[in-house]
C-alpha cells in the first residue's frame, strides 16, 4: 500500500497537469491571440502575495478521455483590495471554455459558496456556451446552466455585486453571464458577446456578419450599452476590475481571529504522519488533531463516554472550532455524545469541524436492541439543524450512514475537503462483496455456482474500489477538492476566517440530546 508521501506526490503531479489546461497546442493558440492564461488573470486580479483558495481543481478528472481538465473552469476565493471575492474564470484552452455538466456544477457550487458567505462574484469570461454534444446534461434541468443564471440574478438582487470581465467569445448561454452582471468590462479585439454567433445568424436569418461587428467590445460599449467599459488589453481590464471592486463601498471584510494564532507543537508532528492510510488499522485521531490545532491543545468534552467519537473545543489560526472526530464505529453512546456536543457549540456560536474516518454506525443485535437507529437519527438531526458554520474533512474512510452523521455533502457543510487517502462509498469493497455474494448464494440456494460467485465477488470489489477512490469522487464534485494533510490547517484557517464575519443566528436552539 502506498504511503502518504507517495499519495501526496501523486496528487501534486495530477494537480500540475490539470493546471496546464488544454495542453501545449491549445495554450500556444491562446497565447498567439494575445490572451493571458486563466491563472495569470486571477493573479492580476488579486492583492499581491495573498492566498487563493481554489475549489475543485480536479473536477472532471479522468472524464471525457481526460480532455476537460478542471472542467474547463477555475473557481476560488481571494482578496481584492482586502475584500474576499469569489472568482469564476473560464479556461478557453479547454474546449474553448465550453460548459460540460461538471463545469455547470463547479460554476454553481462557487456561486453557492459566494452567496452563503456574502461575497461578490467576479466572472472572468472566455466562454463558448454549452458544449453541444452534452446539451442534455447541461441545458434543460433546474440545476443545469439556467440554474447558474438564476443564482446570479438572486445574488444581484440581494446586493452581492456581480462583475464580469469579457476576454473572449461569449456565445448563446455564455452571453448571459456578462449580460446579467451589474458591471461589465470588455477587452477590445478579443472580447465578444452575442446570443447567436455569426454561424447561427447566417442559419437563422441568412445575414452574413463578422464577430466583431456583431458583438465586439466597441459596439457593445458605445452602441448597445451591454458593456460599461472597454479595455485596450487584458492587463488594463484587470486594473479596471480592481478599481471597480475598490469602489463597491462598505462590504464584507475578513474578520480577525479573537485570539492570537499559535502553531501546533513540533512534538505533535505533522498531520501526514498520523493519517489513516491503511483503513483496516486504527489511527491515533487525538494525535492527528493535536498536529493541526493551535498549541496542540484540545479541550475534550465527555472524554470518558462514547469513546469512539472524540469531541472537543480547539482553535485553528486563532478561530474557535468544535471538533468531532471518529475513533471507531459510532455506537448509541457516541451518537448521543455528538448530538449533545453539537447543541453546545450551536448555543455558543462555535463553528463545527467534522474529521471523518468512519466505517458507519454499529450494527448487530445488541446495537439494535440498544436503539442505534433512533440514537443515530438524533445525531443526524443535530447535524442537519445546527446553525453555525460546518466544515468537513474526509481524512480516511467515509462509509454508509456514518457519512451522514458526520456531516457529509448532503448535510451542506460550508466546505468539504478530502485527503488523497480518503474513500467514500455506501460500504467498503470487502463488505460490499460479502453482502452481494451472500445475497446471490441465497437466491441460488443449493444450486450455487462457485465460479459465478467468485466472478461476482471480483466485479463487486472492482466496482467499489473504483467508485470509492478519492479522484473518482473529486472529479464528480462530491467534495470541494483534494488537499494535502499538511495543508489542512491553513485551508481550514481560510475557511474559518470567511465564516467568522457572517451574521449570527441567535434565536432559540432546539434541544437535541433529549
Amino acid at each position: 500500500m502506498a504511503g502518504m508521501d507517495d499519495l501526496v506526490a501523486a496528487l501534486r503531479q495530477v494537480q500540475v497537469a490539470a493546471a496546464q489546461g488544454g495542453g501545449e497546442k491549445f495554450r500556444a493558440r491562446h497565447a498567439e491571440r494575445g490572451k493571458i492564461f486563466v491563472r495569470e488573470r486571477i493573479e492580476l486580479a488579486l492583492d499581491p502575495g495573498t492566498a487563493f483558495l481554489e475549489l475543485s481543481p480536479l473536477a472532471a478528472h479522468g472524464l471525457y478521455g481526460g480532455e476537460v481538465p478542471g472542467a474547463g473552469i477555475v473557481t476560488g476565493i481571494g482578496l481584492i483590495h482586502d475584500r474576499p471575492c469569489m472568482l469564476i474564470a473560464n479556461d478557453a484552452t479547454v474546449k474553448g471554455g465550453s460548459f460540460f455538466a461538471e463545469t455547470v456544477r463547479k460554476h454553481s457550487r462557487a456561486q453557492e459558496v459566494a452567496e452563503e458567505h456574502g461575497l461578490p462574484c467576479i466572472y472572468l469570461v472566455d466562454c463558448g456556451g454549452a458544449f453541444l454534444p452534452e446539451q442534455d446534461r447541461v441545458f434543460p434541468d433546474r440545476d443545469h446552466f439556467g440554474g447558474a443564471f438564476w443564482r446570479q440574478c438572486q445574488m444581484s438582487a440581494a446586493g452581492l455585486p456581480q462583475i464580469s470581465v469579457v476576454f473572449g467569445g461569449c456565445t448563446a448561454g455564455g452571453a448571459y453571464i456578462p449580460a446579467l452582471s451589474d458591471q461589465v468590462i470588455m477587452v477590445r479585439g478579443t472580447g465578444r458577446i452575442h446570443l447567436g454567433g455569426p454561424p447561427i445568424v447566417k442559419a437563422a436569418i441568412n445575414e452574413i456578419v463578422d464577430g466583431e461587428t456583431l458583438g465586439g467590445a466597441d459596439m457593445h460599449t458605445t452602441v448597445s450599452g451591454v458593456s460599461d467599459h472597454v479595455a485596450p488589453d487584458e492587463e488594463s481590464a484587470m486594473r479596471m476590475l480592481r478599481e471597480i471592486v475598490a469602489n463597491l463601498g462598505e462590504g464584507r471584510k475578513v474578520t480577525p481571529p479573537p485570539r492570537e494564532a499559535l502553531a501546533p507543537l513540533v512534538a505533535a508532528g505533522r498531520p501526514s504522519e498520523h493519517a489513516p492510510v491503511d483503513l483496516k488499522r486504527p489511527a491515533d485521531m487525538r494525535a492527528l488533531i493535536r498536529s493541526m490545532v493551535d498549541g496542540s491543545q484540545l479541550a475534550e468534552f465527555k472524554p470518558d463516554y462514547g469513546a469512539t467519537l472524540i469531541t472537543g473545543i480547539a482553535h485553528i489560526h486563532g478561530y474557535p472550532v468544535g471538533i468531532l472526530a471518529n475513533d471507531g464505529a459510532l455506537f448509541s453512546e457516541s451518537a448521543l455524545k455528538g448530538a449533545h456536543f453539537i447543541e453546545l457549540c450551536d448555543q455558543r456560536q462555535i463553528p463545527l469541524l467534522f474529521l471523518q474516518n468512519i466505517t458507519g454506525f454499529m450494527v448487530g443485535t445488541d446495537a439494535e436492541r440498544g436503539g442505534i437507529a433512533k440514537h443515530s437519527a438524533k445525531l443526524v438531526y443535530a447535524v442537519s439543524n445546527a446553525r453555525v458554520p460546518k466544515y468537513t474533512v474526509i481524512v480516511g474512510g467515509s462509509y454508509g450512514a456514518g457519512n451522514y452523521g458526520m456531516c457529509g455533502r448532503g448535510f451542506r457543510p460550508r466546505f468539504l475537503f478530502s485527503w488523497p487517502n480518503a474513500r467514500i462509498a455506501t460500504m467498503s469493497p470487502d463488505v460490499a462483496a460479502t453482502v452481494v455474494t451472500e445475497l446471490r448464494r441465497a437466491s441460488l440456494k443449493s444450486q450455487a455456482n462457485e465460479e459465478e460467485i467468485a466472478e461476482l465477488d471480483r466485479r463487486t470489489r472492482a466496482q467499489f474500489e473504483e467508485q470509492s477512490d478519492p479522484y473518482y469522487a473529486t472529479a464528480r464534485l462530491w467534495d470541494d477538492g483534494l488537499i494535502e494533510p499538511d495543508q489542512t490547517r491553513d485551508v481550514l484557517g481560510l475557511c474559518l476566517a470567511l465564516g467568522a464575519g457572517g451574521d449570527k443566528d441567535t434565536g432559540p436552539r432546539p434541544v437535541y440530546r433529549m
Side-chain angles (χ1 to χ4, degrees):
M1 176 175 290
M4 181 53 73
D5 289 344
D6 294 331
L7 294 174
V8 168
L11 173 62
R12 290 177 181 174
Q13 187 174 10
V14 172
Q15 288 174 332
V16 168
Q20 297 304 305
E24 287 305 316
K25 174 183 175 182
F26 294 102
R27 287 175 64 86
R29 182 184 299 177
H30 190 83
E32 286 169 4
R33 294 169 176 169
K35 298 167 78 172
I36 298 174
F37 297 120
V38 62
R39 283 179 168 78
E40 294 172 13
R41 290 170 179 166
I42 290 171
E43 287 181 11
L44 289 172
L46 299 181
D47 295 344
T50 58
F52 178 62
L53 180 59
E54 186 173 350
L55 303 179
S56 301
L58 300 182
H61 173 75
L63 304 178
Y64 311 104
E67 293 184 356
V68 192
I73 193 170
V74 179
T75 63
I77 301 165
L79 295 178
I80 302 178
H81 287 292
D82 294 325
R83 185 170 187 151
C85 297
M86 175 61 75
L87 287 90
I88 302 175
N90 303 110
D91 185 352
T93 70
V94 179
K95 300 294 184 181
S98 297
F99 274 69
F100 292 71
E102 291 74 20
T103 318
V104 173
R105 289 193 63 189
K106 186 171 175 178
H107 183 109
S108 296
R109 172 62 182 149
Q111 291 176 309
E112 179 184 307
V113 170
E115 185 172 20
E116 194 165 31
H117 291 85
L119 307 180
C121 279
I122 310 298
Y123 302 92
L124 306 183
V125 193
D126 204 344
C127 170
F131 185 67
L132 295 182
E134 290 282 312
Q135 70 87 26
D136 62 324
R137 301 177 64 231
V138 174
F139 172 71
D141 206 354
R142 190 189 77 164
D143 292 325
H144 287 174
F145 215 171
F149 304 144
W150 178 83
R151 288 183 182 88
Q152 193 171 343
C153 295
Q154 292 284 305
M155 284 191 284
S156 181
L160 298 179
Q162 308 291 298
I163 303 167
S164 284
V165 183
V166 178
F167 299 94
C170 302
T171 304
Y176 278 112
I177 298 172
L180 290 171
S181 294
D182 304 317
Q183 280 182 271
V184 179
I185 302 165
M186 292 185 71
V187 178
R188 179 179 289 125
T190 58
R192 293 174 185 170
I193 299 173
H194 27 59
L195 287 181
I200 294 177
V201 170
K202 182 179 179 181
I205 62 173
N206 202 30
E207 178 185 346
I208 298 175
V209 62
D210 65 88
E212 190 66 24
T213 302
L214 184 65
D218 286 307
M219 189 283 288
H220 277 310
T221 307
T222 63
V223 179
S224 74
V226 170
S227 171
D228 306 298
H229 311 275
V230 63
D233 51 52
E234 295 196 11
E235 290 87 349
S236 301
M238 301 314 288
R239 287 194 292 270
M240 290 180 182
L241 168 65
R242 287 183 53 81
E243 183 179 359
I244 289 172
V245 175
N247 290 296
L248 288 177
E250 289 300 316
R252 179 76 177 276
K253 299 287 185 180
V254 173
T255 302
R259 65 159 66 174
E260 183 182 357
L262 296 173
L265 299 178
V266 174
R270 298 178 290 113
S272 57
E273 296 170 6
H274 307 295
V277 176
D278 184 351
L279 301 186
K280 295 179 181 179
R281 301 177 61 182
D284 190 342
M285 294 299 288
R286 285 180 175 83
L288 192 153
I289 293 169
R290 288 194 293 269
S291 71
M292 291 196 295
V293 301
D294 286 9
S296 300
Q297 296 176 345
L298 174 69
E300 280 203 56
F301 172 74
K302 281 185 180 288
D304 301 317
Y305 180 80
T308 59
L309 183 66
I310 300 168
T311 55
I313 306 295
H315 287 75
I316 296 178
H317 281 286
Y319 296 97
V321 62
I323 298 176
L324 297 93
N326 302 119
D327 199 18
L330 289 169
F331 291 78
S332 289
E333 295 84 356
S334 317
L336 289 172
K337 170 181 171 178
H340 187 175
F341 181 68
I342 289 170
E343 178 195 341
L344 294 181
C345 290
D346 206 31
Q347 287 176 342
R348 299 168 187 175
Q349 300 291 331
I350 299 172
L352 294 164
L353 169 62
F354 297 82
L355 300 178
Q356 287 195 12
N357 181 30
I358 178 66
T359 55
F361 289 99
M362 180 52 64
V363 297
T365 303
D366 289 344
E368 297 296 350
R369 290 172 66 88
I372 188 67
K374 175 56 74 174
H375 295 314
S376 65
K378 291 175 183 176
L379 178 60
V380 169
Y381 187 88
V383 171
S384 302
N385 286 285
R387 297 175 233 180
V388 293
K390 295 171 287 188
Y391 308 92
T392 301
V393 183
I394 303 178
V395 303
S398 178
Y399 294 116
N403 172 275
Y404 302 156
M406 290 296 292
C407 198
R409 190 68 143 177
F411 290 80
R412 278 66 169 175
R414 292 284 184 99
F415 294 96
L416 187 153
F417 298 101
S418 299
W419 286 0
N421 58 304
R423 293 292 185 272
I424 179 170
T426 52
M427 57 191 73
S428 71
D430 289 342
V431 174
T434 300
V435 170
V436 171
T437 55
E438 286 303 314
L439 288 173
R440 184 60 177 160
R441 277 198 177 93
S443 69
L444 292 172
K445 296 183 180 178
S446 61
Q447 300 174 353
N449 182 321
E450 289 306 318
E451 288 186 6
E452 178 186 342
I453 294 295
E455 175 60 19
L456 181 59
D457 180 280
R458 186 197 64 76
R459 289 201 311 269
T460 303
R461 289 177 186 274
Q463 176 192 352
F464 274 75
E465 286 287 356
E466 176 191 6
Q467 295 180 354
S468 63
D469 185 86
Y471 291 94
Y472 187 97
T474 203
R476 291 157 179 79
L477 289 99
W478 297 351
D479 56 35
D480 291 310
L482 298 183
I483 59 174
E484 299 177 21
D486 296 343
Q487 293 177 334
T488 305
R489 170 179 162 82
D490 292 339
V491 169
L492 289 173
L494 292 171
C495 295
L496 290 165
L498 285 170
D503 295 333
K504 291 181 169 57
D505 184 342
T506 57
R509 257 50 180 177
V511 177
Y512 306 126
R513 67 182 184 273
M514 297 303 182

